[in-house]
Amino acid sequence: MKLSDVDTPAVLIDVDRVEANLQRFQRYANGHQLAVRPHIKTHKLPRFAKRQVELGAVGITCQKLGEAEVMADAGITDIFLPYNIVGHAKLDRLVALNARIKIAVTADSDVAIQGLAEAFKNSTKPLVVLIECDTGMGRCGVQTPDEALALAKLVDGSDGLSFAGFMTFPKTGSITQTEAFLCVAKKMARDAGLDPRIISNGGSPDMWRAHEVTSATEHRPGTYIYLDRFQVSKGVGTWDDCALTVLATVVSRPTENRAVIDAGSKALTSDTLGLEGFGRITDYPDAVITSLSEEHGVIDLGACASKPKVGDRLRVIPNHCCVVSNLFDEVILISGDEIIERARVAARGRVD
């Protein structure tokens, strides 16, 4: 099949750009003695997870048990799952997964830790646990280093659990704040006789400043593999580094300055992340995707010198590529205009 024969909407992944993106950050991390533990939520493909490990990643990060199970089935043996695992059904699956591979999780409350302890009290292989710290993102995580120490002690004193350190998903631009929190938490843990051997930091927007969080031992980038419109806006890479595009067809031109494509919220995601519109059309950078319904994307062509016709095919760099990966059963891997493979997105749709 030729690229021109691909039906739309479809996700195209440029494997040459993927490889360049992976190698670029791995070289940076190696140069700063920083371990890489990439987040697979962006691509959800065992093929790319294995390549990340081949290039030097110490393991991978998954956000859900379902993702971790898929990656373990594919042969990945070192997985970090930075999520509060709550409820008997999930805890039973976690016990089974811990018996198969090396896995670590996070917790940010005594309730979550007590659930883990109860599930693993008779396990011959302790579960590795990191304490999640809120260093400014305002999502999960303890609010102070004192709280982090208290939970670290609770993990350390629980049969079946092994305290390993601290984890954060920081707010973009909060390098100083993140380092201040982690540095204090690490010192307090050591002073208490604990060993916080892993200090896990994350995020792609600030990944080229990851070395400035000097307490961190590893970094968890996710979007860096593909990049997207938001990451380019943050200076992480350029348009030429963006590996994922959504291929769409112009299905209507109802007015001189309006076009409609067959890619709506089910293909491009409704995330704006503070940007104007819902993606960048590579051949018409002045066009604005002004609105999305489920199957329609409406484009304002008013600023464009030339304009697409009905039947023309456009490639869109989405605002947020991670969501797009979860919207398609398969992606098409390309090199230039050559189709390399139609790859099933193995870990998509796993709501658990």
Side-chain angles (χ1 to χ4, degrees):
M1 177 183 286
K2 298 178 181 178
L3 191 55
S4 58
D5 296 325
V6 172
D7 199 8
T8 61
V11 174
L12 308 180
I13 306 295
D14 187 315
V15 296
D16 302 313
R17 293 184 179 190
V18 163
E19 183 70 12
N21 291 340
L22 296 183
Q23 290 198 24
R24 189 179 302 118
F25 185 72
Q26 189 66 54
R27 285 195 301 269
Y28 161 84
N30 291 346
H32 291 284
Q33 294 77 52
L34 191 64
V36 179
R37 184 177 289 277
H39 208 313
I40 63 87
K41 69 183 177 68
T42 301
H43 58 78
K44 300 179 182 290
L45 297 172
R47 168 194 179 119
F48 287 156
K50 291 178 180 179
R51 183 57 183 156
Q52 288 168 315
V53 173
E54 287 171 357
L55 288 172
V58 295
I60 63 171
T61 305
C62 298
Q63 201 64 25
K64 298 181 293 186
L65 273 168
E67 291 177 345
E69 288 164 340
V70 168
M71 292 297 159
D73 289 345
I76 304 294
T77 59
D78 191 331
I79 298 177
F80 180 38
L81 205 166
Y83 205 86
N84 287 302
I85 305 299
V86 177
H88 292 299
K90 287 183 173 62
L91 288 169
D92 288 345
R93 290 166 59 196
L94 181 60
V95 170
L97 196 56
N98 187 63
R100 296 172 54 196
I101 64 168
K102 180 181 178 182
I103 189 165
V105 301
T106 57
D108 70 355
S109 70
D110 56 355
V111 174
I113 292 169
Q114 288 162 6
L116 294 172
E118 178 64 23
F120 282 86
K121 64 183 179 181
N122 296 320
S123 176
T124 58
K125 180 183 177 184
L127 175 70
V128 175
V129 181
L130 283 72
I131 305 305
E132 182 166 3
C133 304
D134 180 6
T135 58
M137 184 62 177
R139 195 168 63 183
C140 297
V142 297
Q143 300 300 296
T144 67
D146 285 321
E147 292 177 75
L149 177 61
L151 292 186
K153 290 179 176 179
L154 181 59
V155 171
D156 187 63
S158 299
D159 292 339
L161 305 183
S162 174
F163 170 71
F166 303 105
M167 165 269 176
T168 189
F169 181 65
K171 180 181 179 181
T172 300
S174 64
I175 301 293
T176 301
Q177 183 178 349
T178 297
E179 169 57 21
F181 191 119
L182 295 176
C183 180
V184 172
K186 180 173 70 172
K187 183 179 186 305
M188 292 176 68
R190 286 179 172 170
D191 289 347
L194 302 177
D195 179 20
R197 63 185 182 277
I198 301 172
I199 308 291
S200 186
N201 189 25
S204 293
D206 287 329
M207 69 185 197
W208 300 119
R209 298 182 62 193
H211 65 284
E212 296 179 35
V213 183
T214 56
S215 294
T217 62
E218 67 177 27
H219 195 80
R220 310 180 317 276
T223 317
Y224 83 119
I225 186 171
Y226 291 160
L227 298 184
D228 53 26
R229 190 176 174 220
F230 177 73
Q231 299 299 330
V232 172
S233 77
K234 294 299 180 182
V236 181
T238 69
W239 299 121
D240 290 337
D241 298 320
C242 292
L244 182 150
T245 54
V246 175
L247 182 67
T249 299
V250 177
V251 295
S252 178
R253 280 291 311 279
T255 72
E256 173 64 19
N257 289 326
R258 184 163 79 240
V260 181
I261 54 175
D262 61 353
S265 62
K266 291 181 177 178
L268 288 174
T269 171
S270 56
D271 285 358
T272 61
L273 303 176
L275 303 170
E276 180 187 14
F278 296 92
R280 182 182 195 263
I281 303 172
T282 58
D283 289 337
Y284 299 91
D286 293 326
V288 179
I289 304 175
T290 57
S291 66
L292 302 177
S293 52
E294 290 182 63
E295 308 294 352
H296 297 87
V298 178
I299 304 171
D300 181 353
L301 301 170
C304 299
S306 62
K307 301 171 185 181
K309 306 179 298 296
V310 171
D312 284 355
R313 289 149 70 87
L314 309 178
R315 291 172 69 168
V316 182
I317 298 172
N319 290 346
H320 188 187
C321 65
C322 303
V323 181
V324 172
S325 291
N326 201 51
L327 295 172
F328 287 80
D329 288 329
E330 70 170 21
V331 295
I332 299 171
L333 308 183
I334 62 172
S335 177
D337 290 328
E338 179 185 356
I339 293 178
I340 304 300
E341 179 186 346
R342 300 182 77 106
R344 185 174 70 89
V345 186
R348 76 161 294 273
R350 300 299 295 263
V351 297
D352 51 359

